[in-house]
Amino acid sequence: MHPDAPGAAIPRFFLYGDAGTVADAEFFHIEDIRSRSERYDWEIGTHTHPGLYQVVFFLDGGGELTLDGRRSAVTAPLAAAIPPGVVHAFRFTPGTHGYVLTLTAAMLSGEAGNAGRMFEDVLFRQPQVIPLESAAPMAALLEQLQAEFHEDAAGRAKMVEWLVCALLMLLARSRLQAADAATPADRARHELFARFRALVEAHYAEHWLVPRYAELLHTTESTLNRLCQAVAGRSAFELTQDRLLLEARRKLIYIAAPVSRIAYELGFQDPAYFCRFFRRRTGLTPSAFRRQGMEGEG
């Protein structure tokens, strides 16, 4: 069955087409778009990277990208920020120039310290496309980072941390500047959406229903759903379930606890219901998902 066909299992890669796994908590990888996509006729099929953050920088060219089922045409300069576990695919215009940066959570924080939390909130709370006013500053940093990746010069690890931090800081600025440039109505809409996401972050494990979120936000359920569809392409309920599923994946990958305990920690009163929830949304049972990850590490 083709991996993009309905019902097909979503391929999980360390890097697209590679069956390896991440052994180093401070792993990072960078490559130019051409080096991998040209091998696949400039098309990177539907896949996901458990436990890895990824940013795809389009410096010249463009194409079509799919993030969590939402497809859009893109033109450089821009960057696509992809959190761990998000299903994505690319169809690049032949000759597109850019880079793919892949990081673990440890490298996401790295030299950034407390800024790592900002990167998580601003860049990786959800998959998104970030327009870039100018590609030149990031292009210079990306070229230097790729050079460090291929060399073993003195101070390499520290230099890599600094370059990654600088790149993510520039990208976060671009994201925040785009938000500041919005109209007052757009800003109000995005502020309401941000408040909703903050509430979801605080209460997803309590399994609040959408009307409760709407009440605390002083809006109606239908208005909240329209807002979520407009901003994220998902209903409010789907976003609460996405957050719950993301945490379930993280716990199954990183915490050596019984599935039943993880179910209770995520607010499920019945582990069997948690298993049904997880399988309905991923096509795998929690145990199978964990086993798949462990087999990849062997």
Side-chain angles (χ1 to χ4, degrees):
M1 182 180 289
H2 189 279
D4 292 339
I10 302 298
R12 302 164 71 244
F13 292 121
F14 154 62
L15 297 170
Y16 186 80
D18 292 348
T21 57
V22 177
D24 182 356
E26 296 190 346
F27 164 87
F28 94 100
H29 183 274
I30 185 171
E31 65 183 18
D32 63 278
I33 286 174
R34 176 187 294 273
S35 65
R36 190 171 302 262
S37 63
E38 198 168 31
R39 283 185 274 156
Y40 295 96
D41 197 25
W42 296 94
E43 183 168 358
I44 303 298
T46 301
H47 66 289
T48 185
H49 305 285
L52 293 172
Y53 297 81
Q54 198 166 70
V55 185
V56 181
F57 294 88
F58 290 77
L59 302 180
D60 186 48
E64 182 180 87
L65 62 84
T66 303
L67 298 175
D68 257 354
R70 298 185 293 279
R71 184 177 302 172
S72 57
V74 295
T75 303
L78 59 86
I82 307 168
V86 168
V87 178
H88 56 285
F90 296 94
R91 180 178 291 121
F92 298 104
T93 302
T96 290
H97 173 53
Y99 295 87
V100 181
L101 177 64
T102 307
L103 307 165
T104 59
M107 275 299 297
L108 179 66
S109 300
E111 188 66 27
N114 291 334
R117 181 63 183 172
M118 183 192 73
F119 296 153
E120 178 84 32
D121 289 342
V122 174
L123 301 178
F124 296 108
R125 187 172 291 276
Q126 63 183 8
Q128 59 179 318
V129 174
I130 303 169
L132 306 177
E133 213 170 283
S134 170
M138 290 189 189
L141 289 171
L142 287 161
E143 288 172 12
Q144 181 63 37
L145 186 57
Q146 188 177 48
E148 292 291 335
F149 179 73
H150 290 292
E151 296 175 5
D152 193 20
R156 175 181 181 272
K158 187 62 68 176
M159 180 66 79
V160 164
E161 287 184 350
W162 288 341
L163 289 168
V164 167
C165 180
L167 268 171
L168 295 181
M169 189 62 75
L170 283 176
L171 190 58
R173 282 182 178 177
S174 294
R175 173 68 181 83
L176 293 171
Q177 286 167 0
D180 289 342
T183 65
D186 284 339
R187 283 200 297 272
R189 184 175 64 171
H190 283 278
E191 286 169 8
L192 179 58
F193 183 74
R195 288 166 55 209
F196 169 64
R197 292 304 294 260
L199 281 175
V200 171
E201 188 66 25
H203 301 287
Y204 65 86
E206 297 170 48
H207 297 233
W208 282 12
L209 298 177
V210 174
R212 186 169 185 181
Y213 285 107
E215 181 182 2
L216 285 174
L217 293 168
H218 305 291
T219 189
T220 66
E221 183 179 357
S222 60
T223 297
L224 183 57
N225 272 314
R226 285 197 299 272
L227 170 69
C228 292
Q229 287 287 358
V231 175
R234 310 275 283 172
S235 71
F237 176 74
E238 287 172 331
L239 290 176
T240 65
Q241 300 303 284
D242 288 347
R243 182 61 186 91
L244 192 59
L245 179 63
L246 175 61
E247 194 64 22
R249 284 171 163 159
R250 286 174 174 170
K251 287 180 178 292
L252 289 166
I253 291 171
Y254 296 114
I255 298 177
V259 170
S260 58
R261 177 180 155 189
I262 289 175
Y264 291 130
E265 288 179 355
L266 292 172
F268 291 89
Q269 299 302 312
D270 181 0
Y273 180 66
F274 169 64
C275 292
R276 290 194 295 273
F277 159 83
F278 194 89
R279 184 166 189 170
R280 185 168 62 249
R281 300 185 73 85
T282 68
L284 295 170
T285 65
S287 296
F289 176 82
R290 172 180 276 170
R291 187 165 56 249
Q292 193 178 78
M294 291 175 65
E295 288 171 353
E297 293 172 2

